[in-house]
């Protein structure tokens, strides 16, 4: 996968492989299949944070803040309340369309979502960035691996992640596991 190779060159994964994910169980719990590039991303990096900025959500993470299921349930509830008085983004007005979070931005309330549309294969989902504390939804017609590579590489066309664009010039990127940052679950 070309996008994975590009991301690994930009930001090496942890030396120890992350815990295995039961994808069938995860997809049953969510009620949808997940994109192949996301699965490869999770299998390569696991739960953690890119450049102290972008947290990757993983099914059944030992840390609720990085758990895809916990964050999906929380975001569904928050967005349902929000859309009682704020208009949904254009892509979500289609019957059966939904968003699923796959990452969030440290300290901002911003989330990265897939826009899952009825009848569309997960590998064709587009990505949405929601600023979290405002109405902006920024659309990106690419998968999560391509988006991460573009953001870390400084080529993403986005109004956000300015600090990462500045960091992209030296080209030194880091990934830290959730366990390294948040400690061992249960401590």
């Amino acid at each position: 996968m070309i996008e994975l190779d590009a991301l690994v060159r930009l930001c090496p994964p942890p030396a120890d492989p992350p815990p295995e994910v039961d994808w069938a169980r995860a997809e049953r719990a969510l009620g949808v299949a997940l994109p192949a590039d996301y699965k490869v991303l999770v299998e390569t990096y696991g739960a953690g944070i890119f450049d102290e900025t972008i947290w990757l959500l993983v099914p059944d993470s030992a840390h609720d803040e990085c758990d895809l299921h916990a964050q999906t349930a929380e975001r569904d509830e928050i967005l349902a309340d929000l859309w009682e008085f704020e208009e949904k983004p254009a892509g979500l007005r289609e019957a059966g369309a939904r968003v699923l979070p796959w990452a969030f931005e440290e300290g901002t309330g911003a989330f990265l979502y897939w826009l899952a549309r009825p009848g569309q294969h997960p590998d064709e989902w587009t990505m949405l960035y929601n600023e979290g504390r405002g109405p902006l939804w920024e659309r990106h017609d690419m998968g999560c691996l391509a988006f991460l590579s573009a953001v870390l590489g400084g080529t993403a066309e986005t109004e956000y992640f300015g600090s990462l664009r500045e960091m992209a010039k030296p080209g030194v990127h880091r990934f830290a596991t959730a366990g390294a940052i948040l400690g061992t679950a249960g401590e």
Side-chain angles (χ1 to χ4, degrees), residues 62-146:
H63 304 278
D64 281 350
E65 49 274 84
C66 297
D67 181 63
L68 178 66
H69 302 295
Q71 289 299 324
T72 297
E74 183 177 304
R75 300 311 307 164
D76 284 350
E77 184 178 315
I78 288 168
L79 292 173
D81 290 345
L82 175 71
W83 290 327
E84 287 183 16
F85 60 90
E86 190 175 292
E87 189 173 348
K88 287 182 179 182
L92 283 171
R93 294 184 205 130
E94 179 182 351
R98 70 185 274 207
V99 290
L100 292 162
W102 63 270
F104 67 92
E105 186 178 5
E106 172 70 23
T108 66
F111 271 79
L112 296 164
Y113 295 93
W114 292 293
L115 173 57
R117 299 174 59 218
Q120 190 176 44
H121 190 277
D123 293 340
E124 297 171 346
W125 291 348
T126 56
M127 232 203 55
L128 297 172
Y129 172 94
N130 175 246
E131 64 184 337
R133 295 188 177 110
L136 178 76
W137 289 80
E138 188 179 79
R139 182 184 172 123
H140 297 274
D141 293 325
M142 61 182 70
C144 57
L145 261 176

